[in-house]
């Protein structure tokens, strides 16, 4: 009996071993390194030199605009994604003919296999002067500028993150017990109140998963605003790139990175709380 | 070892039995065998290592079969690396960077993997101080001839009598204007900044680079490009913050915007200016009469280069005037080497973008190492970008 438990523990340890090593080496250790950097000082020629000071954290207000812009971009971008994604997921899960469903789902996912950089560059050309504006000029509408505008950034974000929003919502709608919809209709509810009271409510865990997933990724986004927005609006992601690659102020960059991780954790916990309270179910576990 | 799209699909029952029977008989296709055992790759590697496939000219020293170079966008004739591979068997992987700071950050973090890189004049003393580069072994660079170099451009490669880097080319930082859209002729940085807020509104680009963007804003007031003085920098910041809402973009990747006609005016380096003007004659290159930046890019070899022999071999190859002249024709930046200038066609030497009038050149300044690493300037740039 005793030996049996030991063997079981050993098997468990062996099974979890590789994942644990992976997590420690690629997640925990770098995080510790960043935490250590964040209480250090910038070396005179740039980089890091050992120290113990909270000066970097005290300096966070110097990037207040970047935090503010990010705190605005992340929920607005996620909301825009959600508004586009929900109808698509709804159609896929509840309306699409079964034999088309797999093909349509594949069409949602396939663009995701190409790097975001490539797809964003493609948008640069579509929105740039030789793309749509050239077509508009052809029909007489001159000097339209689409690239490097807030609209272009929002478009890039919706396009880039859409699959991450569609899939969790699709999963939660697909699990929906259709008998509940019939029951709701039998009891005299209008289609609208059935949607609001049953469908939407029960798909909320998926919505919250998609929303927090997209939002957390947007907290670190810098590529799309740089390429489609012309680098005119400064986000935390841009601040990090600058601090690590241009001014080479690793300690300050690390303090910002740590703060960003803490913000992400708060967002995740809040999303989970909200979805538990509203629908009584936890988020769809995708992450 | 993927051969066709069918490889990933489940095998059909008939094919499986077929394959099984074939293997049972002891027969196996050559392609299957090599693919399954990985012997195909191994043979290819061994052939090179054992000298079965000879690498001419460098057969004496082992150069390996690959190396990495860190350099700038649109900076080389791709054919150069193809030819180098043909001659030596060494494939060159090209890493493209946007700024010297990025290169420095990567080298400082260690294990960049580069065997050759292209730093700009003002970074070399910093690299030496940080111990990232060592003096070059000049004996391995017989193609380089110091007596043919113009010392005006190349002195910063030599520190305390030791050569740490040899020059690739020099150039200037001016601005490019689409003269079809902005018809008023311009000759100064003052006009650049004023136009950005008027006719060039939402069509002007500045570099995502503190050295040039702050430096050229300082030039608006006639201050030094390298100024670290608080009051002068405050004036430059004031100007930049005023211009910010009128900009098309803050980016060092300005060719796409200029070519597409979305941007009409941009800060610009010589070689990009030459390329833009060559392809779109309406785009002119202007040097501010107040001055601005002059620069030289060098070749250097990192201390921790994984393949130093190949680094030296490629560097020596690039120092061959016959090779260098093709590089200059491709990237459009002027040469520091008299031997190369002799080989360049007359219209290149007469091109005022590449070889500007002497009086325009005298006003220009080399960027200083202190300017590059100054934290105050970095923070100024961050305030400008986040405004």
């Amino acid at each position: 009996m005793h030996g049996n438990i030991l063997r079981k523990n050993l098997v468990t340890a062996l099974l979890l071993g590789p994942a644990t090593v992976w997590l420690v080496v690629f997640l925990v250790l770098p995080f510790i390194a960043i935490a250590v950097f964040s209480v250090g000082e910038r070396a005179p020629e740039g980089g890091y030199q050992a120290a113990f000071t909270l000066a970097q954290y005290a300096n966070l207000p110097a990037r207040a605009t970047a935090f503010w812009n990010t705190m605005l971009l992340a929920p607005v971008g996620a909301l825009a994604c959600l508004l586009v994604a929900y109808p698509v997921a709804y159609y896929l899960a509840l309306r699409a003919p079964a034999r088309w469903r797999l093909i349509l789902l594949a069409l949602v996912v396939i663009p995701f296999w190409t790097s975001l950089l490539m797809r964003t560059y493609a948008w640069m050309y579509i929105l740039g002067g030789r793309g749509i504006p050239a077509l508009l000029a052809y029909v007489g509408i001159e000097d339209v500028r689409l690239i490097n505008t807030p609209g272009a950034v929002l478009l890039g974000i919706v396009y880039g993150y859409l699959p991450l929003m569609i899939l969790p919502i699709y999963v939660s709608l697909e699990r929906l017990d259709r008998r509940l919809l019939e029951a709701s209709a039998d009891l005299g509810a209008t289609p609208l109140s059935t949607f609001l009271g049953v469908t939407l409510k029960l798909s909320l865990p998926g919505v919250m998963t998609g929303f927090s997933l997209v939002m957390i990724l947007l907290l670190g986004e810098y590529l799309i605003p740089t390429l489609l927005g012309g680098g005119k609006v400064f986000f935390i992601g841009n601040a990090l790139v600058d601090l690590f690659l241009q001014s080479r102020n690793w300690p300050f960059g690390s303090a910002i990175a740590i703060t960003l991780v803490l913000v992400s954790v708060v967002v995740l916990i809040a999303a989970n709380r909200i979805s538990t309270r509203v629908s009584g179910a936890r988020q769809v576990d995708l992450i | 070892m993927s051969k066709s799209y069918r490889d990933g699909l489940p095998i059909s029952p008939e094919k499986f039995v077929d394959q099984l029977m074939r293997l049972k008989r002891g027969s196996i296709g050559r392609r299957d065998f090599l693919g399954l055992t990985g012997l195909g790759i191994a043979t290819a590697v061994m052939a090179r290592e054992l000298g079965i496939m000879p690498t001419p000219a460098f057969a004496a020293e082992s150069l390996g079969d690959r190396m990495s170079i860190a350099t700038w966008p649109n900076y080389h004739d791709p054919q150069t690396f193809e030819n180098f591979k043909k001659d030596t068997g060494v494939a060159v992987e090209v890493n493209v960077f946007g700024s010297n700071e990025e290169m420095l950050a990567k080298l400082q973090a260690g294990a960049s993997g580069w065997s050759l890189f292209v730093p700009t004049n003002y970074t070399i003393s910093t690299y030496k101080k940080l111990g990232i580069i060592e003096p070059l072994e000049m004996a391995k660079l017989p193609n380089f001839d110091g007596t043919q170099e113009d010392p005006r451009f190349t002195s910063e490669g030599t520190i305390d009598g030791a050569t740490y880097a040899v020059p690739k080319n020099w150039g200037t930082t001016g601005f490019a204007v689409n003269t079809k859209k902005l018809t008023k002729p311009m000759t100064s940085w003052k006009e650049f900044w004023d136009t950005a807020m008027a006719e060039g509104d939402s069509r002007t680009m500045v570099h995502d680079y503190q050295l040039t963007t702050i430096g050229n804003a300082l030039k608006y007031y006639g201050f030094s490009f390298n100024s670290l003085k608080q009051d002068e920098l405050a004036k430059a910041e004031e100007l930049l913050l005023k211009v910010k809402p009128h900009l098309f973009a803050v980016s060092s990747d300005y060719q796409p915007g200029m070519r597409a006609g979305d941007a009409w005016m941009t800060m610009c380096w010589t070689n990009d200016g030459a390329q833009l003007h060559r392809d779109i004659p309406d785009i002119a290159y202007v040097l501010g009469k107040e001055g601005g930046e002059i620069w030289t890019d060098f070749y250097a070899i990192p201390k921790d280069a994984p393949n130093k022999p190949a680094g030296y071999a490629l560097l020596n190859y690039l120092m061959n005037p016959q090779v260098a002249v093709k590089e200059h024709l491709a990237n459009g930046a002027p040469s520091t080497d008299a031997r190369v200038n002799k080989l360049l066609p007359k219209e290149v030497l007469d091109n005022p973008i590449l070889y500007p009038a002497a009086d325009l050149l005298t006003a220009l300044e080399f960027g200083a190492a202190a300017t590059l690493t100054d934290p105050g300037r970095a923070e100024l740039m961050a305030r400008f970008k986040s405004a």
Side-chain angles (χ1 to χ4, degrees):
Chain A
M1 188 70 196
H2 195 66
N4 219 351
I5 289 171
L6 259 183
R7 197 176 314 139
K8 239 184 193 165
N9 284 345
L10 188 68
V11 169
T12 313
L14 281 176
L15 284 175
L16 289 179
T20 312
V21 170
W22 177 272
L23 269 179
V24 168
V25 172
F26 292 106
L27 208 74
V28 179
L29 289 181
F31 190 79
I32 292 173
I34 294 288
V36 170
F37 281 167
S38 76
V39 294
E41 279 170 352
R42 181 188 191 271
E45 305 292 336
Y48 160 79
Q49 95 186 359
F52 188 79
T53 164
L54 292 177
Q56 309 302 340
Y57 289 94
N59 198 21
L60 283 177
R63 291 294 181 278
T65 331
F67 273 98
W68 172 245
N69 287 339
T70 305
M71 292 308 150
L72 205 66
L73 172 93
V76 169
L79 194 68
C81 262
L82 175 63
L83 291 178
V84 178
Y86 199 94
V88 178
Y90 183 85
Y91 177 80
L92 280 175
L94 300 173
R95 291 273 184 275
R99 63 202 170 94
W100 283 102
R101 195 170 295 160
L102 213 63
I103 297 170
L104 291 174
L105 262 180
L107 286 178
V108 169
V109 177
I110 284 170
F112 213 59
W113 294 349
T114 320
S115 118
L116 183 64
L117 180 70
M118 308 262 289
R119 287 181 288 143
T120 308
Y121 254 97
W123 275 112
M124 262 176 82
Y125 283 92
I126 294 172
L127 298 176
R130 287 184 286 197
I132 296 174
L135 285 176
L136 289 175
Y138 192 71
V139 297
I141 308 166
E142 296 282 345
D143 271 347
V144 176
R145 196 163 66 73
L146 300 174
I147 189 85
N148 294 4
T149 57
V153 175
L154 209 58
L155 178 91
I157 281 168
V158 170
Y159 175 78
Y161 291 96
L162 202 56
L164 289 178
M165 188 68 91
I166 292 180
L167 291 177
I169 301 177
Y170 170 81
V171 169
S172 65
L173 283 172
E174 213 254 331
R175 287 179 196 163
L176 190 72
D177 189 342
R178 311 259 176 135
R179 287 172 302 182
L180 292 174
L181 300 179
E182 286 165 24
S184 173
D186 286 348
L187 293 171
T190 61
L192 181 68
S193 57
T194 300
F195 173 76
L196 292 176
V198 182
T199 314
L200 184 62
K201 203 171 171 195
L202 288 177
S203 66
L204 217 57
V207 170
M208 291 315 289
T209 302
F211 198 84
S212 40
L213 197 62
V214 170
M215 196 157 140
I216 283 165
L217 289 172
L218 282 179
L219 288 175
E221 176 65 50
Y222 77 98
L223 191 78
I224 296 173
T226 303
L227 294 180
L228 297 179
K232 284 183 296 178
V233 185
F234 202 59
F235 298 101
I236 298 176
N238 303 90
L240 287 175
V241 172
D242 271 11
L243 283 168
F244 278 97
L245 294 183
Q246 290 225 356
S247 48
R248 298 191 328 293
N249 191 342
W250 296 3
F252 190 27
S254 302
I256 291 179
I258 296 278
T259 312
L260 185 61
V261 170
L262 295 180
V263 171
S264 307
V265 169
V266 170
V267 168
L268 259 184
I269 291 172
N272 227 329
R273 281 272 166 83
I274 292 172
S275 100
T276 313
R277 180 161 309 164
V278 178
S279 69
R282 293 194 169 273
Q283 296 183 65
V284 180
D285 289 321
L286 277 182
I287 37 173
Chain B
M1 281 265 92
S2 162
K3 267 95 57 184
S4 87
Y5 74 95
R6 283 196 194 87
D7 282 5
L9 299 179
I11 192 166
S12 71
E14 300 82 47
K15 216 170 157 221
F16 176 75
V17 172
D18 201 43
Q19 184 100 347
L20 187 70
M21 292 318 286
R22 206 149 53 82
L23 288 173
K24 251 181 128 176
R25 287 198 306 272
S27 144
I28 176 169
R30 176 179 164 272
R31 201 187 69 165
D32 284 346
F33 179 73
L34 292 179
L36 286 170
T37 56
L39 272 177
I41 309 175
T43 330
V45 172
M46 291 296 280
R48 169 143 298 140
E49 291 298 315
L50 296 174
I52 299 168
M53 283 158 67
T55 54
F58 291 96
E61 196 176 14
S62 166
L63 296 179
D65 60 359
R66 59 188 64 244
M67 66 164 282
S68 222
I69 179 173
T71 183
W72 310 113
N74 314 313
Y75 219 38
H76 298 273
D77 182 353
Q79 193 61 43
T80 302
F81 300 125
E82 290 297 315
N83 292 343
F84 181 72
K85 189 184 173 196
K86 229 179 282 162
D87 288 359
T88 62
V90 181
V92 181
E93 184 199 64
V94 180
N95 294 290
V96 168
F97 279 77
S99 73
N100 279 287
E101 288 87 337
E102 271 176 62
M103 276 189 189
L104 177 51
K106 195 96 190 258
L107 277 172
Q108 226 176 341
S112 64
W114 310 331
S115 298
L116 191 63
F117 72 115
V118 187
T120 308
N121 48 284
Y122 45 80
T123 61
I124 293 167
S125 60
T126 307
Y127 281 123
K128 183 202 171 237
K129 212 187 293 173
L130 292 172
I132 296 172
I133 54 174
E134 288 171 344
L136 293 170
E137 294 174 48
M138 300 311 284
K140 291 186 176 165
L141 304 171
N143 284 342
F144 174 74
D145 182 351
T147 64
Q148 297 296 307
E149 298 286 346
D150 186 339
R152 167 181 183 147
F153 304 123
T154 62
S155 56
E156 283 176 84
T158 308
I159 303 169
D160 302 333
T163 305
Y164 285 84
V166 291
K168 169 165 172 36
N169 53 246
W170 64 280
T172 56
T173 309
F175 55 94
V177 190
N178 186 329
T179 54
K180 229 178 176 173
K181 299 287 186 185
L182 298 170
T183 48
K184 203 174 68 186
M186 283 187 274
T187 57
S188 68
W189 282 113
K190 184 160 190 322
E191 286 165 319
F192 174 87
W193 293 110
D194 286 338
T195 306
M197 293 183 278
E199 306 93 304
D201 189 6
S202 78
R203 299 287 186 175
T204 303
M205 294 177 79
V206 301
H207 289 168
D208 180 7
Y209 196 28
Q210 63 92 350
L211 185 83
T212 45
T213 292
I214 297 175
N216 293 325
L218 285 161
K219 279 290 148 196
Y220 185 94
Y221 303 99
F223 300 143
S224 162
F225 180 85
N226 286 306
S227 176
L228 296 176
K229 289 187 191 133
Q230 288 301 319
D231 52 330
E232 297 183 356
L233 286 170
K235 293 274 277 184
E237 180 170 355
E238 198 185 311
L239 172 69
L240 287 170
L241 295 182
K242 213 166 73 182
V243 172
K244 176 79 190 288
H246 301 281
L247 291 176
F248 171 68
V250 181
S251 167
S252 304
D253 187 21
Y254 43 84
Q255 282 215 29
M258 288 297 285
R259 284 174 187 273
D262 290 314
W264 297 345
M265 185 165 76
T266 181
M267 278 183 196
C268 183
W269 287 291
T270 300
N271 43 307
D272 289 298
Q275 287 172 19
L276 284 168
H277 180 72
R278 179 187 66 203
D279 300 341
I280 307 169
D282 284 330
I283 296 182
Y285 181 76
V286 181
L287 278 181
K289 64 179 177 207
E290 305 97 330
E293 190 197 15
I294 185 171
W295 47 265
T296 305
D297 281 340
F298 289 77
Y299 288 113
I301 294 179
K303 199 181 218 170
D304 66 353
N307 190 352
K308 266 190 196 162
Y312 273 104
L314 179 59
L315 179 50
N316 189 48
Y317 183 77
L318 289 162
M319 287 296 133
N320 176 344
Q322 304 288 345
V323 173
V325 77
K326 282 189 214 134
E327 288 273 294
H328 288 286
L329 291 174
N331 91 18
S335 166
T336 58
D337 187 334
R339 297 173 302 167
V340 176
N341 282 334
K342 256 179 226 145
L343 295 172
L344 283 167
K346 191 174 172 316
E347 63 265 27
V348 170
L349 295 170
D350 287 345
N351 184 343
I353 296 180
L354 303 182
Y355 296 89
D359 60 318
L360 281 171
L361 279 187
T362 40
L364 302 177
E365 298 165 75
F366 277 101
T371 316
L372 176 80
T373 48
D374 181 51
R377 275 200 165 209
E379 282 300 294
L380 199 173
M381 191 66 185
R383 288 196 296 274
F384 162 63
K385 289 210 278 184
S386 63

